[in-house]
Amino acid sequence: MTAAGPLLRVDRLRKVYPSSTRPVVAVDGLTLDVAAGEFVCVVGPSGGGKSTLLKMVSGLLPPTAGQVLLDGVAVTGPVPGLAVVFQEYGRSLYPWKTVRDNVALPLLPRRLSRAQRHRRAEAALTSVGLADAARAYPWQLSGGMQQRVAIARALVGEPRVLLMDEPFAAVDAQTRADLEDLVRALWQRLGITVLFVTHDIDESVYLGERVLVLSRAPATIRADLTVDLPTERDQPTTRADARFAALRSEVFRLVAAESVPEPGEPR
Ligand SMILES: Nc1ncnc2c1ncn2[C@@H]1O[C@H](COP(=O)(O)OP(=O)(O)OP(=O)(O)O)[C@@H](O)[C@H]1O
């Protein structure tokens, strides 16, 4: 991180989707800072602009106005410092490539030998608990394991920031709990910065050190809460903590307030 500013700065970001009828303003003047090493969750009402925000932060979607700065440098397209994990893990992995080759893909543009790429991919797979699956094909793995592969692929290039867009929305409850604990463990072990979008309020409080609540569309920051729970968390203990319950109620109230349309407004 530069001494002058945060690792990630989102500066008055705005996105307008053109439309033949009425343009959709999905994000409007959204500003936020994320310091190096933070774990920040973003929650908000459905259709509120969470995915749009994350796509712009990743450099995949050009904003209509405003900018994203990584370590003070404008992000104008995908960069190695920002890695993304999406919900659709099935579609994001190539079925004809082995797990190891899928994970090694982001390394292809780098000046590395095949053996070096394989070594790094295997190390990334080990970090997500999949050392034994390197030679398998994605379709041979369960949904949860495929999402671990997607996480390994995001980590293989040693990004500064890991961006996650509802990454566990499509897996069963137990797998989801395991993946949540994996991401917390990776965050602690690697000292990486995480920006995690979810529609699940409990998940945002369980995972985050900070929870940002978005307004209804067009998205702006409605609230910025510090999650003052112990760093060491585990599913049964943390979720039974009175402070966890208080925080989830607070986030729930904030999101619910944003989900109710104004009188006369279409639902
Ligand atoms: N490619 C697009 N073209 C036009 N409108 C879009 C496009 N993508 C998103 N939108 C609109 O922008 C608004 C915000 O959508 P977005 O997917 O970012 O919200 P979200 O909070 O991620 O939603 P959800 O919780 O349902 O995943 C919505 O009104 C949506 O219909």
Side-chain angles (χ1 to χ4, degrees), residues 45 216 254-263 265-267:
R216 78 188 69 168
L254 288 160
V255 173
E258 290 303 319
S259 303
V260 179
E262 299 287 352
E265 205 180 272
R267 252 190 183 276

Side-chain angles (χ1 to χ4, degrees), residues 72-120:
V73 179
V75 175
T76 54
V79 287
L82 293 166
V84 201
V85 177
F86 294 107
Q87 181 186 329
E88 298 103 354
Y89 48 81
R91 279 199 278 151
S92 77
L93 302 175
Y94 293 109
W96 62 88
K97 284 185 182 291
T98 63
V99 162
R100 184 176 63 187
D101 286 347
N102 267 284
V103 172
L105 270 179
L107 301 176
L108 280 180
R110 303 197 188 177
R111 288 166 163 269
L112 294 171
S113 69
R114 194 177 150 79
Q116 283 172 320
R117 286 200 304 271
H118 283 176
R119 262 201 304 281
R120 290 206 191 178

Side-chain angles (χ1 to χ4, degrees), residues 17 24 26 45-52 166 199:
Y17 290 110
V24 178
S46 181
K50 301 183 293 296
S51 292
T52 301
E166 307 225 7
H199 67 269

Side-chain angles (χ1 to χ4, degrees), residues 3 8 10 44 104 106 126-128 155 165 175 206 216 219 238 244 255 259 266:
L8 185 68
V10 172
T126 302
S127 74
V128 299
L155 294 175
D165 189 6
T175 305
Y206 182 73
R216 78 188 69 168
T238 305
F244 178 87
V255 173
S259 303

Side-chain angles (χ1 to χ4, degrees), residues 95-213:
W96 62 88
K97 284 185 182 291
T98 63
V99 162
R100 184 176 63 187
D101 286 347
N102 267 284
V103 172
L105 270 179
L107 301 176
L108 280 180
R110 303 197 188 177
R111 288 166 163 269
L112 294 171
S113 69
R114 194 177 150 79
Q116 283 172 320
R117 286 200 304 271
H118 283 176
R119 262 201 304 281
R120 290 206 191 178
E122 280 161 13
L125 281 166
T126 302
S127 74
V128 299
L130 280 185
D132 294 339
R135 287 183 173 74
Y137 288 88
W139 46 268
Q140 294 176 306
L141 308 179
S142 67
M145 288 165 87
Q146 288 180 32
Q147 196 54 310
R148 283 174 191 257
V149 175
I151 294 169
R153 186 174 60 188
L155 294 175
V156 76
E158 298 181 346
R160 306 286 310 276
V161 183
L162 186 59
L163 304 168
M164 308 190 87
D165 189 6
E166 307 225 7
F168 310 145
V171 295
D172 63 83
Q174 183 56 52
T175 305
R176 184 179 191 137
D178 292 344
L179 289 167
E180 287 169 356
D181 288 338
L182 171 70
V183 171
R184 283 273 317 170
L186 288 168
W187 169 71
Q188 282 182 280
R189 201 179 328 137
L190 304 176
I192 196 168
T193 306
V194 183
L195 187 62
F196 190 108
V197 164
T198 176
H199 67 269
D200 186 316
I201 289 163
D202 287 38
E203 183 169 75
S204 73
V205 174
Y206 182 73
L207 285 179
E209 301 292 301
R210 207 175 135 199
V211 174
L212 302 177
V213 181

